[in-house]
Structures are given as structure tokens and as C-alpha cells.
Amino acid sequence: MERLGGLLRRAQRLSPGPSQTIYKRVEGSQQGRLEEEEEDGEEGAEPPAHFFPMELRGPEPLGSRPARQNPGLWAAAGRRAAPYLVLTALLIFTGAFLLGYVAFRGSCQACGDDVMVVSEDVNDELSPDSHQGTLYWSDLQAMFLRFLGEGHLEDIIRQTSLRERVAGSAGMAALAQDIRAELLRQRLDHVWMDTHYVGLQFPDPARPNTLHWVDASGKHGEQLPLEDPDVYCPYSATGNATGKLVYAHYGRPEDLQDLRARGVEPAGRLLLVRLGVINFAQKVASAQDFGAQGVLIYPDPADFSQGPHKLSLSSHRAVYGQVHLGTGDPYTPGFPSFNQTQFPPVQSSGLPSIPAQPISADIASLLLRKLEGPVAPQEWQGHLPVSPYRLGPGPGLHLGVNNHRASTPISNIFGCIEGRSEPGFQPRRSLLFISWDGGDFGSVGSMEWLEGYLSVLHLKAVVYVSLDNAVLGDDKFHAKTSPLLISLIENILKQVDSPNRSGQTLYEQVVVTNHSWEAEVIRPLPMDSSAYSFTAFAGVPAVEFSFLEDGPAYPFLHTKDDTYENLHRVLRGRLPAVAQAVAQLAGQLLIRLSHDHLLPLDFGRYGDVVLRHIGSLNEFSGDLKARGLTLQWVYSARGDYIRAAEKLRKEIYSSEESDERLMRMYNVRIMRVEFYFLSQYVSPADSPFRHIFLGRGDHTLHALLDHVRLLRAGGAGATSSQVARGLGFQESRFRRQLALLTWTLQGAANALSGDVWNIDNNF
């Protein structure tokens, strides 16, 4: 039986060789010996390994259909202060449990070599030789819970909180070595580090960023204090920006359109925008599209927890946020930053051309008091001691940003529990635990690694689960995910106890407030998560879990106040319970993914996604028809995808479970569904996020919908830069967008159908 450690070994070696190898177990008299064979990548070959960089992936109910393959699981940890501390603890304890489970399988005296894990679903069918040493799902769950109860998650979180965690710092390097040492102590099959030299931007201590009033003659006046020179916007344009101040709410495109409609022009101004709703990079990109000179971003108390028993952010504290509209090192777009590799000088198109700077609520109050002009809409009013908020313009301001770029080494840490397809001492699929570096700069560590292995990831990776920002409260639970994982998440939520409601599962907790659990829990993948890059860039389904506060967000994220003590106080002493719930979610996903024979990815879900978006497009069918245009191509491609998914589902349920080659082929088709939605008609260098549903660019369904909205007067609802520049509907652009979208969707339908001679789509 094949062991799919090929990718993991390649990642460990990093240095390219003349050929890549996988290992095959030799049966018979030479059993146990491994021989190398060339990896041919045929569809019938074993599927790849799962990556588990402190982010996880998981399967559906155990005991579906047997297929002997080794896709891999991933779990990844970001580097964001308190949430990262939780990840470090979960990485160690989840990995330790899985190793303990592997050891149990090897040491059970009554089990012999026939230990297996089965679901307790009454429809499960056991093989004739499975009567001996069966380990039931409930037994495994109980083992896991007992193990977690013995852990000291809180102690690890507290100890890690005392460490420096700035990318490239000596403290971070020491922490990385400690995590590596802990993984080695747990005796994982493989533990290694890789180092990237990436371009990061830091404040210049000798020339701090500045903010001044400017009089009518353009002369600098009083300097406004930026209380913390270490809080800045990485990847901001450097230089000077001068202009009158305008208040622009959250800085969304619709906010800037609203400003124009109220007679306040954002072009040529400095914009004052509130933290929240969209990320820093999106705020700056929107401001740039509308011609603004620069952006000041502040935390308004209205967007954070209020009340006598709620902790709030200090009014003199600014919030950090990077402004590259993308992920990874923006100075090597599309290429990995291995070994200080130098490429021709090129920069990401997502780098802004205008400066941006975070400021505190206190400074924002001073600025708002100076604004004149129309009163801001009621929904734009905040909770600063200024009444009412006005739109401006106000007095002139001069913003000077002097950040500097530095080539900085960052280190990702990997630990692998290698999977084998046959039962015995190891899980069916490999588990890869990863701690990423450089997360605060836009998932730099994870993206650089992805760029290095883009050509093989869709062949080797099944699911990616992120635990970044896993604990930011305890009132509600969100899963930002690919549609392929929604059914699996529902199943797992029904088996994990709520951390703050005794006697209820997480599923029961969420349906109390909303009978539609999906509406309550499921969210799209955000660009500022490493999970987004795995799906939108690499075509690997991903999920990011988060426990959150009910109402305003956790106030200390991306500030110096994001500490163990404050997280503990926000959770009212419930940090260990919530961390344990996260570990249960992650652990149960991993256990089930590593044993489920048929991959539990719901490949039919994307048919529903297309239908939902088509509903939005249908609104404009009359406008298109009047121009002699139609959306019929998209309808046809969507129908072919639905038929292909249903055909595959019927094939699976009518197949012989003992046909291992056939089951492997089914799993290969299932695991590549996400990859099928990466447009093959655009360049990864020009449009790195090629996913037609989750990506960015003219090839996406969102861009097509945004464009057709321009058919209506003023482009109401459109959010693209086309609106900002005053461009209208363009028939040639529409036809190209429709072709890119349609043929990608049709290609996904064809690929899901299987062999080319079996495709019966009539397109």
C-alpha cells in the first residue's frame, strides 16, 4: 500500500532534486520494507496528504465508503498575540492527543492488528474481519475528552503571552525554536522549519510618522500627537499627503458614493474612517479609487463593547493593520521568498499608492470637532464626545509616513503525523501541523509557502483548518468556510458541548437564536485569513473557526492591550473552557478526516452557490435582453455541474466498496473540486486569487454582478472602482467576463464527470 509522505518529505527537504519520490510498502516476504517509485500523478494514484498548520480540516461521518488514500490535513497558527497563544496551546495538545491515540492503537493488548474506528451510525456496515478489537466512535471521543481534561492549556497560553512575537524579532525566533522543540518532544514523524526572507515594512525610529494641522497658506501648524509610534499600517505608501479632512464612516465604496451624493467630494482629501466592517486594506483601496490623498483609521467606541461590566479599548490606543490588498510578500508577487531569491523588481498591484496611518479615538475626537459641512447620517454617528458628527470638509492636515522596508527572515514550523492507508499504528491520512510566521503582515508566511508549492497542492492537500482568531469571546460561534465543508461542520457541531451553556451542544446553542443554523454560523472566508489564500489561491477547501462576543467585537485585537490578562477578563474566567471547546472541534475534525474512507466534501453545494448568485443576476435579465445579451451560458454550465455532481453521487453509492482503485479515483475527483473553480484563463501572477466565487478580479462572479449593476442609473449597489472612476457598462467587458466565468464553471462540471468518454454534458 502506498504511503503518501511524498509532499511532506519534499517540503522537509526544500531543495529540488532531479525527481520526486513516494514510498510503497512491499508486501509478502519482504513486508515492511519501503521502496521508492516515481510519482506519476495519475488519477488512480493515491491522493495526497492533509496539511494541519494550526488550522485544520476534517471529514464527515466515519464509515462512508472505503477508499485507500492519503490526503492530508493542515492546521495553522497565526501570530496575533492572545489568539495566537491559544493556537500554540491547541497545536501542542491536539498533536499530543493524536500521538497518544496512535500509541493506544499500537499497545492495545486485546486488539491485535485489527483495531479500527467506526461510526455508531446504524447504517454502518462492518467488514467480515472487523469483529475483533473494534474501537467505537464514542470510545474515541471519550478518550479525547479525558486527555483534554488533563491538559494545562491556560498555563501554556499564559507562558507564551510573556514572549515577544514580532515577525523577525529575536523573541519570535526563540518562540519558533521552542515550538519546534515541543513538537520533537511529542515524537512526531517529521518536524522541520523553513525560512523565507520577506520584505516587511516597519516604522523608522529616527523619522517617526507625523500629523500636522495646515493653515490656508499651506504652512504646517500644530503637530497632533501619534501616541504610539510602534502602531502603524504596514505597506502604506510612504511620503507626504496634504488635504482637507472628510469623515467617511467605514470607508466602504458605498460610503464614499454616499459622500458624493451629499455634495462632499472625497477626491483630493484626507479621509477619516472608522475601524471595522471591512479590513484596513479595503478601506485604503476604496479611498484610493475615489481619489483621496490619504487615510486615517480610528477605533470608534460605538463599534466595541460598552457597559459597566465590559472591557473597552483605551481612548489613547490606536489599532494596527496592514494595508496590502492581498496576501504574502508584496515585493515577490506570485513567487516564494525562499533562500533570499531575487526576482526582477516587481510589486503587487495590491500595494496602495496613498499613505495611511492608525490614530487613537482621542485624536479622532480632536479632528471631528473641527469638521464643518453637512451633519453625518444617523447611522454614521458614533460614541465619541462629539455631537453631532459632521462630514466636512474641515481644516487642512498634513500626514507624513516614513515607514521603511526591510528584508526579514521569518520561520514556519512544521510537524507531521504520517498517514498510511492500511489499518495499524497510524491514521489513514497524514496530518501536518504548522505554525506560520508573519501573519500580521498579511499571512506572509503561509502565502510564501503556498507560492512555493502551488503546482502540487491540489494533488496533495485535502482540507485546511485555521485556528487563527479562534478565541475572541464565548457568546457565539462562526465558521468562515468553503461551501464544501458546511455539511461536515454541522455534523461536528452536534457532537461538541457548548462552553457556556451546560447540557447543550454547540449546534443546539446556535439554533436557539436562529432556526437556520447556517445563517447563524457560516460566513465567507475573509482575505485577512490564511484560510482564504488556501482556497482562493491554491484551490484547497478551508475553514476558520471563531468564538466571538455577542455584539461589538473583542476590542484589543491588533493592539498592545491584546494580552492573556485582557482575554481572560473578557471571557470572565472562561478561557480554559472555550479553548477546550476549540480543541474538541479541531480534534474531532482531525480524527474523522484521518479515518473516513470516502472524503466527506459536499461537492453538490456549489450548485446552490451558483443558483444563489444567478438569482441576483436575474434581476438584470431584462436590461441585458434589451441590449441583445443573455445569461443563458451561465445557466447551462450550472445545469451541467448539478448533473455531474448527481451522477458522481449515484456512482459512489452503487459502487463496490472493495474496489479500492475505483474508490481512490472517486476521492481524487472529490478532493479537486475546489481547484476546479480556479479560473484557468487568467494568470496567477496577474490575478493570484483565481477562484470564481471567492477570488478577486474580472473573472469572478462578484465582478460580473458588480458590472451588470451599472446598467441601472448611477450603478446603485455597485462597489467597484469602475463606479469611482465614473465608468459605465461596457458590452465587450461583459462578454469577456461571461466567457471567463462560464468556461471555468463548465470545466468544473466536465472534471467532476470523470473520464472524457463519460461526459454527457450538452453545452
Side-chain angles (χ1 to χ4, degrees):
M1 306 305 299
E2 292 181 357
R3 292 173 60 191
L4 296 176
L7 171 66
L8 304 177
R9 292 186 178 88
R10 287 193 295 275
Q12 183 176 11
R13 289 193 298 263
L14 292 180
S15 57
S19 63
Q20 296 176 338
T21 58
I22 56 178
Y23 292 86
K24 181 178 180 182
R25 182 164 295 281
V26 179
E27 307 289 355
S29 61
Q30 300 182 24
Q31 205 167 29
R33 182 171 62 84
L34 300 178
E35 71 176 11
E36 296 185 0
E37 66 176 14
E38 293 299 320
E39 179 178 359
D40 58 17
E42 293 293 327
E43 186 168 272
E46 290 287 342
H50 303 277
F51 298 87
F52 183 59
M54 246 165 133
E55 307 194 14
L56 310 133
R57 302 129 193 270
E60 230 176 31
L62 281 169
S64 297
R65 299 235 170 214
R68 302 203 175 217
Q69 94 259 357
N70 269 22
L73 309 175
W74 312 39
R79 303 272 181 180
R80 293 186 179 88
Y84 175 62
L85 313 182
V86 177
L87 301 185
T88 303
L90 294 176
L91 171 67
I92 293 169
F93 277 88
T94 305
F97 165 74
L98 291 167
L99 286 168
Y101 165 59
V102 168
F104 166 82
R105 291 174 60 137
S107 62
C108 177
Q109 299 301 312
C111 297
D113 292 330
D114 296 319
V115 177
M116 63 179 296
V117 179
V118 300
S119 165
E120 293 182 317
D121 190 318
V122 294
N123 295 320
D124 259 345
E125 296 181 7
L126 300 178
S127 59
D129 60 348
S130 63
H131 62 280
Q132 182 183 12
T134 298
L135 179 62
Y136 286 93
W137 178 244
S138 59
D139 300 325
L140 190 54
Q141 285 179 308
M143 288 171 57
F144 187 40
L145 294 177
R146 285 197 301 271
F147 180 87
L148 287 179
E150 297 171 0
H152 302 289
L153 288 170
E154 190 172 15
D155 289 341
I156 293 180
I157 295 169
R158 182 186 293 109
Q159 293 164 15
T160 309
S161 71
L162 303 175
R163 311 290 291 273
E164 182 185 12
R165 294 175 301 278
V166 177
S169 68
M172 181 61 93
L175 180 58
Q177 289 293 347
D178 287 349
I179 294 173
R180 177 178 178 274
E182 181 62 30
L183 294 177
L184 287 169
R185 191 181 69 80
Q186 299 290 352
R187 297 187 179 180
L188 273 70
D189 294 320
H190 308 282
V191 177
W192 73 98
M193 299 174 65
D194 69 32
T195 298
H196 302 263
Y197 286 81
V198 296
L200 303 183
Q201 199 184 66
F202 298 98
D204 186 344
R207 301 173 62 223
N209 299 341
T210 59
L211 186 64
H212 290 85
W213 292 115
V214 176
D215 62 23
S217 66
K219 183 179 179 180
H220 288 190
E222 177 188 1
Q223 180 173 347
L224 293 163
L226 299 176
E227 289 113 328
D228 192 340
D230 294 330
V231 179
Y232 67 111
C233 288
Y235 304 125
S236 163
T238 56
N240 303 306
T242 303
K244 292 188 175 181
L245 185 68
V246 167
Y247 171 55
H249 201 210
Y250 292 113
R252 299 168 295 185
E254 55 265 40
D255 295 329
L256 301 181
Q257 290 177 45
D258 199 358
L259 272 177
R260 277 184 175 168
R262 296 172 185 273
V264 180
E265 175 55 52
R269 311 294 172 87
L270 287 180
L271 302 188
L272 177 65
V273 302
R274 283 159 62 166
L275 182 72
V277 182
I278 59 175
N279 63 39
F280 278 52
Q282 291 168 315
K283 294 176 191 293
V284 176
S286 296
Q288 180 175 306
D289 284 342
F290 278 79
Q293 293 293 301
V295 184
L296 301 171
I297 305 172
Y298 80 97
D300 197 293
D303 299 310
F304 296 96
S305 302
Q306 301 292 308
H309 303 294
K310 293 282 189 179
L311 294 180
S312 60
L313 188 67
S314 169
S315 63
H316 65 268
R317 186 70 80 191
V319 179
Y320 167 105
Q322 69 90 19
V323 294
H324 170 219
L325 192 64
T327 58
D329 183 351
Y331 306 109
T332 59
F335 302 97
S337 303
F338 280 128
N339 304 322
Q340 302 193 65
T341 303
Q342 298 298 311
F343 291 97
V346 62
Q347 293 189 354
S348 166
S349 60
L351 281 173
S353 60
I354 61 174
Q357 175 68 30
I359 62 173
S360 69
D362 282 346
I363 298 303
S365 295
L366 294 176
L367 299 178
L368 284 167
R369 291 192 188 104
K370 299 285 188 178
L371 291 183
E372 300 172 346
V375 173
Q378 182 58 42
E379 60 271 21
W380 290 29
Q381 299 295 322
H383 288 172
L384 290 177
V386 179
S387 184
Y389 286 23
R390 292 185 176 273
L391 300 178
L397 281 173
H398 176 271
L399 171 64
V401 173
N402 302 309
N403 305 335
H404 71 281
R405 169 183 164 189
S407 180
T408 307
I410 61 172
S411 297
N412 300 323
I413 308 107
F414 299 79
C416 173
I417 300 176
E418 194 171 349
R420 293 190 177 94
S421 56
E422 72 272 9
F425 299 162
Q426 292 182 293
R428 183 176 304 278
R429 301 180 182 96
S430 299
L431 309 177
L432 184 57
F433 300 82
I434 308 175
S435 176
W436 300 122
D437 202 348
D440 284 346
F441 290 83
S443 303
V444 172
S446 59
M447 187 63 176
E448 294 308 301
W449 191 80
L450 281 174
E451 289 172 341
Y453 295 98
L454 179 62
S455 61
V456 298
L457 285 180
H458 70 285
L459 303 174
K460 297 296 182 183
V462 174
V463 183
Y464 178 86
V465 183
S466 170
L467 298 180
D468 203 5
N469 294 328
V471 181
L472 299 175
D474 68 343
D475 294 324
K476 58 185 179 181
F477 173 80
H478 284 170
K480 303 159 189 174
T481 184
S482 158
L484 295 175
L485 291 165
I486 291 176
S487 296
L488 175 60
I489 292 168
E490 178 182 12
N491 189 280
I492 294 295
L493 290 182
K494 292 177 178 178
Q495 302 176 48
V496 175
D497 292 334
S498 166
N500 59 4
R501 297 195 182 181
S502 180
Q504 286 189 343
T505 64
L506 276 175
Y507 181 85
E508 291 168 336
Q509 175 182 331
V510 299
V511 296
V512 166
T513 55
N514 192 332
H515 291 300
S516 172
W517 82 273
E518 281 191 45
E520 186 69 20
V521 171
I522 301 301
R523 298 291 184 273
L525 287 166
M527 180 180 280
D528 52 3
S529 165
S530 60
Y532 176 85
S533 297
F534 270 83
T535 300
F537 176 73
V540 176
V543 60
E544 178 177 286
F545 297 127
S546 294
F547 282 91
L548 306 163
E549 288 290 279
D550 192 11
Y554 172 72
F556 305 117
L557 194 63
H558 301 301
T559 74
K560 290 186 174 181
D561 294 330
D562 186 16
T563 62
Y564 161 79
E565 289 76 17
N566 276 336
L567 183 61
H568 186 82
R569 289 165 63 196
V570 165
L571 291 170
R572 302 172 297 282
R574 300 192 54 77
L575 176 55
V578 180
Q580 186 175 24
V582 174
Q584 288 184 41
L585 281 163
Q588 295 206 39
L589 274 175
L590 284 174
I591 294 166
R592 298 184 69 168
L593 276 175
S594 61
H595 289 90
D596 212 20
H597 288 210
L598 190 73
L599 288 175
L601 303 180
D602 190 353
F603 46 85
R605 281 272 180 173
Y606 268 114
D608 300 331
V609 172
V610 180
L611 183 62
R612 187 165 61 249
H613 286 288
I614 283 178
S616 300
L617 287 169
N618 280 339
E619 177 186 347
F620 302 93
S621 58
D623 303 86
L624 291 170
K625 187 176 181 181
R627 292 171 173 258
L629 302 171
T630 178
L631 295 168
Q632 184 58 45
W633 285 7
V634 177
Y635 301 152
S636 297
R638 185 254 176 189
D640 283 346
Y641 183 84
I642 294 297
R643 285 188 290 274
E646 186 58 29
K647 177 184 174 184
L648 177 56
R649 202 184 309 275
K650 289 179 179 179
E651 287 180 16
I652 290 171
Y653 286 116
S654 62
S655 299
E656 289 291 333
E657 295 182 354
S658 58
D659 191 335
E660 296 175 4
R661 181 179 180 278
L662 185 60
M663 289 297 152
R664 285 199 299 269
M665 291 176 65
Y666 287 151
N667 275 318
V668 168
R669 284 157 67 181
I670 292 170
M671 68 177 287
R672 294 181 187 173
V673 166
E674 201 79 70
F675 178 78
Y676 299 153
F677 291 113
L678 300 185
S679 177
Q680 305 301 305
Y681 306 102
V682 295
S683 164
D686 298 329
S687 300
F689 303 118
R690 293 179 292 148
H691 201 289
I692 59 173
F693 301 119
L694 301 173
R696 297 181 63 87
D698 241 24
H699 60 284
T700 64
L701 189 59
H702 174 78
L704 176 64
L705 180 59
D706 214 33
H707 188 196
V708 298
R709 288 192 177 112
L710 297 176
L711 288 166
R712 304 286 172 85
T719 59
S720 71
S721 59
Q722 299 280 326
V723 179
R725 295 193 295 268
L727 300 178
F729 181 83
Q730 301 169 5
E731 183 175 323
S732 60
R733 179 185 173 216
F734 169 80
R735 290 181 180 276
R736 182 176 187 276
Q737 286 180 303
L738 190 64
L740 291 174
L741 177 67
T742 301
W743 282 110
T744 302
L745 183 56
Q746 185 65 43
N750 293 344
L752 196 62
S753 295
D755 293 318
V756 66
W757 52 85
N758 289 328
I759 297 174
D760 57 5
N761 297 329
N762 293 313
F763 182 63

